[in-house]
Amino acid sequence: MQRSSSKLGQLYHSVSSLGSLQRRTVASQSSNSFCAHGAVLSRKDKLMEPIRGFLEETAQARVKDERTVVRRGGTGVLDRAANWVHATPMRKRRIPPQGIPQQSVEKILSVPSDVFDDDAFNTELGDQMLPKGSFLEVRRNNAVIHAVAMGPYYSGRGRQIHTLTTTGEAIPFNDADVMLCVPGFVEERLMDACGTTKLHTTNAELAARTRVLAELRAIEKEIERAVRYVDNRASKFYDYLKSDNPYEWKKVDVQTAARFYKRPDNLYPSLAINIAVHKHLMDHPRKFVAHPTAYRETQTFLVRPPVQAQNIADITNWMRIEGGRILNEFCDKVKVIMEQGKALRQRSTSTMPHEIPTNYNYTLTDTDREILRFLLDAFHAQRLTQSNPHSLPANYILKRLGMLDDMEWPVNQLGALQQVLTDLGVFSPWTDSASFASRIESLAQQPVIKPLRAPAYPPKPLGPEDLYASDPLEALRHDFGNMPVYVIDDASASELDDGVSIETIPSEPDNYWVHVHVADPTTLLPPTHTLAYRAREMSESSYLVYGTRYMLPPSTFERFSLGYTAATKEPQQVMTFSFKVDAAGDIIDYKVRAAIVKNVHIMTYDAVDATLGLPSFALISPFELPSPSPPSHSPIEPTHVERLKLLYKVSSRLTTNRALRPTFSFVIPSSDVRLAHPILPHLPSPSTETDVSTMRQFKLYGGFPEMSYSVMPPEASMRGARVMISEFMKGACRVASRFGVETGTPLVRRHGSGPLGPDPDAIERLIASRDEFGMVDQYEAAKASVVLPRTVNTLTPKRHWSLGIPDGEGYVRVTSPLRRYVDLIAHWQIKHTLLANSDPARYTKGKRVVFGEDWLLQYAREATFRDRERKRTTVMRGGYWSGMFLKRWLDGEIKSEALDSRTAVFEARPGVVVKDMYTGKYRMRSMVSQLGVWGDIKLDNPLEIGSRVNVRIAGVTMGPGPKVNLEPV
């Protein structure tokens, strides 16, 4: 490739790919000195000279752009900021080179949060901040903004990215809205000279901003040329990327897609081509869907199946031709059927789930099925960073059906779609719509699994269906004899991964050995087995309202659950992580062993609390009357009481030791909804929808399964047996990391950096305000704009700030191998090292571990994104079922003797305050602790964060992410 002297060319030659540009900072390639940028010019003529030149350049560019006829197949970069009108063919509206008008920017910032933004105290920031001076592309609400990073910005919503936009104004954006980051675009010193206020306040700031805008305009010109090159040759681009299977999705990253354009005559810098390909894929959402939650980090798109892409094109075309005749006829028929179904459902007397017989006397046509398929595909939660090709046709259909409110903003399209699909029998009333709305996100997170090299044991190779014929570590296992092992968990727990033992040391009366025994499914399961690949696909078990999806099939691995052989006292294989705790709560020694336990006792948290005289914090059931008698527990034999007291004594040492470190955390109440009974086999499961392609008749379902509603109080995780077991599990994870450091075994570790905020003194005040368990008031943190960045996975033993784990020690998850794949990886690695240490001659270099560092680095990154996706999905599912319960309670379909929906009053505390620029009202995202749900209070004047206000539940707007509307009383 010809070496380029352009700005992008300079950046490209510093780093080899767009992907690496997203992940690391490169040296600035600016050819001008800091003084040449105008930051220190003092004389008026010298100051105005670069400003005049820049204004002349942008004016010429504006004239040129306005004369340009926009081709339908390819557009310039500045057109990306325009709003599209898809209903009728028309020319794109041009945006002048200076960028998006200020009114548009303000509207972008004021649009209500999308379905992914739920937890008011959740930050979307990782450990790293976007480097100052980076070129950024920001996308929100179909608008594209080019900007330069100025550093962090703190507001009521936590930390954002402060940017200098093409308008010359300093504007903050959410980190999640930044789609591209090219570090080293301009020098950091130049960005410092730009100031931090929205508009410049001095001539020096004006000159610095002018120079940055000149650089920004120059890179936009390069990108425009590359975009024209890409768009002009894109006629077969989709055919190049799509799957051969017309019904199958395909995943592709930008660099792989850009190979389509690598030709000998290509004179453009590779980075410019990559950016242009990114823009082309972003601007064709009918064919390509950007990664919903981690696009900037992965640069990954999902390529729509040809059948779905054609379906979108067909429905969009039907909306335009003949006045929408085809869609109108469908809507007219369906509207009648929906009205008949409503009457049939009202006449149905059964409250339990059932199918209602219908007499619609209508057979679906192929056209009907095409439209139903479109509506089902349209039912997905999509972020506002990419256009939604389903949106306009779906709104057209819903409007024709009378399902949309003209006065509502934002439009609750997903809620209306859910109602239509339910009325037509594609969904049932009990369908888990939150999971369906997240299915594209789940597709994006699915790993590309390649076969692994078989481990060095046993000697003969293992096939994909081969389990271990015998225990590979049988000769190394330590026998704990008759030492009692206590498995303490909730009464409803099914996957019992861990148990604890305590051992006194006669020569060291103040010190104790704690042994954490962990289930050992890798005794049977090698990493090359198909069940191991399936476990990686799942990442971990899912605990749903209507049941559990196990990562490892219970039929094969239930026997590894601790306590499975408790009745027979048969030996059970475990991995044991032991640590010695001194009087100060420090871990002064450790051991990691494969072991055997025989004396296992299963207990519940509540039973241990009652035995030790500790306060019990059972689940709160706000919709049920308090039980007149305390819950009963299986009695614990007196012989175990002293050991349990010792365990609690040692755990208190660990808790106190951690609380002495400068750390803090907070806990937010959460609700838990469960179905009282499983859905009958002849009815659709909550996780399935009717196959539209085979539907011949519209169906109708009625009733709803009985639900229970409970809330876990924050105190439950900070006191009693729960915190005792939690401390021991943390100790085991610390020990695993220490073992990896000492033996040189590469392991995946959790890393959490310290708090971030605009005022270091505020962080110190929060640390000083901690209680004995290291907890702080989350509302005080929100007032100070202090956030705790999310944890990430790494191979290095970095600190975990909130757990008080220092740099050099690290934290490796090892205590849940029955339900978490990352724990299985750690077990395979550690066991292989134990074998290698026992026979160094056999396990030479290169055979001492199962997974090499390169593979682990890739998996650590994958696991970080999977953790994020799982958390989002869990929040969405929990919010959906809580919202469904509350709506049915408000509608009188759920009766409660404890709470009357007409008079019940709750206490709410605002966590986030946002002004809606469309209505002028303030929206306060508030926590109702009694119910464990977030709700919205809308008022003309804002409430103070953390203030207490009495509210009633005014309504619930349903959809995959229900909105609970609160009304002050």
Side-chain angles (χ1 to χ4, degrees), residues 162-309:
H162 211 190
T163 70
L164 183 65
T165 68
T166 50
T167 63
E169 296 172 303
I171 298 176
F173 290 100
N174 292 330
D175 174 84
D177 294 337
V178 179
M179 298 291 102
L180 281 180
C181 173
V182 181
F185 176 59
V186 297
E187 292 181 354
E188 290 190 15
R189 291 181 298 170
L190 177 59
M191 298 310 301
D192 291 335
C194 291
T196 58
T197 57
K198 182 176 181 180
L199 299 174
H200 66 275
T201 57
T202 66
N203 287 338
E205 290 180 0
L206 174 60
R209 293 189 183 200
T210 300
R211 188 57 199 165
V212 173
L213 294 182
E215 297 278 5
L216 200 52
R217 180 54 187 157
I219 199 173
E220 284 186 332
K221 287 181 177 179
E222 285 190 63
I223 294 172
E224 285 177 356
R225 289 194 295 269
V227 166
R228 286 194 293 270
Y229 176 86
V230 167
D231 287 349
N232 289 340
R233 295 160 177 78
S235 60
K236 296 184 179 180
F237 195 24
Y238 174 73
D239 294 334
Y240 173 75
L241 297 176
K242 70 180 182 181
S243 171
D244 294 333
N245 185 334
Y247 299 95
E248 186 177 83
W249 290 79
K250 188 177 178 182
K251 190 187 298 186
V252 65
D253 60 75
V254 170
Q255 289 186 55
T256 301
R259 293 174 188 169
F260 179 79
Y261 292 97
K262 288 188 176 179
R263 302 287 191 272
D265 60 343
N266 183 5
L267 301 179
Y268 293 99
S270 178
L271 179 56
I273 291 296
N274 283 342
I275 293 177
V277 168
H278 147 81
K279 288 181 174 292
H280 180 88
L281 297 175
M282 274 285 187
D283 293 340
H284 290 79
R286 182 171 70 84
K287 300 175 181 177
F288 310 104
V289 182
H291 194 294
T293 58
Y295 175 76
R296 190 178 74 238
E297 297 89 343
T298 63
Q299 295 291 290
T300 299
F301 284 86
L302 289 172
V303 184
R304 291 190 191 271
V307 168
Q308 185 177 120

Side-chain angles (χ1 to χ4, degrees), residues 48 138 263 406 463 691 748:
M48 294 304 297
V138 184
R263 302 287 191 272
D406 288 336
D691 185 357
V748 177

Side-chain angles (χ1 to χ4, degrees), residues 511-528:
N511 301 338
Y512 299 91
W513 276 103
V514 175
H515 308 291
V516 177
H517 310 285
V518 181
D520 191 6
T522 57
T523 298
L524 179 68
L525 181 67
T528 52

Side-chain angles (χ1 to χ4, degrees), residues 926-951:
S926 307
M927 165 56 65
V928 182
S929 297
Q930 186 178 347
L931 301 178
V933 297
W934 291 99
D936 289 338
I937 302 175
K938 296 181 180 180
L939 297 172
D940 293 331
N941 298 307
L943 299 172
E944 183 182 0
I945 290 177
S947 60
R948 301 176 187 273
V949 56
N950 290 332
V951 300

Side-chain angles (χ1 to χ4, degrees), residues 443-582:
L443 280 171
Q445 298 290 2
Q446 284 299 313
V448 178
I449 297 187
K450 300 177 181 179
L452 291 169
R453 171 180 61 87
Y457 62 88
K460 93 175 173 179
L462 292 170
E465 301 294 334
D466 294 333
L467 298 168
Y468 289 135
S470 60
D471 178 8
L473 272 73
E474 183 177 7
L476 301 182
R477 291 194 180 272
H478 174 80
D479 190 345
F480 278 91
N482 202 42
M483 180 180 291
V485 177
Y486 302 111
V487 179
I488 306 173
D489 212 322
D490 287 309
S492 60
S494 57
E495 296 167 301
L496 302 178
D497 289 278
D498 48 69
V500 294
S501 300
I502 191 162
E503 182 180 352
T504 58
I505 309 173
S507 60
E508 304 175 38
D510 287 336
N511 301 338
Y512 299 91
W513 276 103
V514 175
H515 308 291
V516 177
H517 310 285
V518 181
D520 191 6
T522 57
T523 298
L524 179 68
L525 181 67
T528 52
H529 199 277
T530 53
L531 290 178
Y533 294 144
R534 176 181 176 272
R536 182 180 172 187
E537 288 180 352
M538 286 192 63
S539 185
E540 67 176 59
S541 296
S542 297
Y543 303 98
L544 308 174
V545 170
Y546 41 87
T548 301
R549 293 175 180 169
Y550 294 98
M551 183 186 75
L552 296 176
S555 58
T556 304
F557 293 93
E558 183 182 19
R559 63 188 177 95
F560 291 98
S561 183
L562 278 176
Y564 183 77
T565 61
T568 60
K569 301 293 183 181
E570 294 180 15
Q572 192 164 13
Q573 296 105 328
V574 293
M575 285 296 297
T576 299
F577 301 86
S578 307
F579 45 95
K580 185 194 290 188
V581 182
D582 66 10

Side-chain angles (χ1 to χ4, degrees), residues 9-127:
Q10 294 171 24
L11 291 170
Y12 168 71
H13 291 302
S14 295
V15 271
S16 58
S17 68
L18 180 62
S20 60
L21 277 169
Q22 305 297 331
R23 296 188 290 271
R24 62 189 179 95
T25 306
V26 298
S28 173
Q29 300 294 321
S30 178
S31 59
N32 297 326
S33 66
F34 181 56
C35 292
H37 283 142
V40 296
L41 293 176
S42 58
R43 297 181 58 184
K44 185 176 180 180
D45 56 344
K46 289 185 178 181
L47 174 65
M48 294 304 297
E49 184 176 356
I51 299 176
R52 290 194 198 96
F54 176 72
L55 293 177
E56 290 174 1
E57 178 185 358
T58 53
Q60 293 171 2
R62 184 190 299 113
V63 172
K64 181 179 178 180
D65 285 342
E66 288 173 350
R67 291 176 178 174
T68 302
V69 176
V70 180
R71 290 175 292 102
R72 193 166 182 80
T75 64
V77 64
L78 295 175
D79 297 324
R80 306 295 191 252
N83 291 323
W84 283 67
V85 179
H86 296 283
T88 56
M90 64 180 295
R91 180 172 297 182
K92 296 180 185 179
R93 291 174 282 181
R94 305 290 295 180
I95 299 297
Q98 290 90 330
I100 300 176
Q102 177 59 25
Q103 287 182 340
S104 297
V105 174
E106 291 180 350
K107 286 187 177 182
I108 291 168
L109 296 176
S110 67
V111 167
S113 301
D114 56 34
V115 72
F116 289 103
D117 300 330
D118 194 25
D119 187 346
F121 298 110
N122 179 37
T123 172
E124 287 303 314
L125 295 171
D127 183 46

Side-chain angles (χ1 to χ4, degrees), residues 669-688:
S670 60
S671 59
D672 183 51
V673 176
R674 299 284 172 181
L675 299 189
H677 307 287
I679 303 297
L680 296 176
H682 69 279
L683 294 173
S685 162
S687 60
T688 60

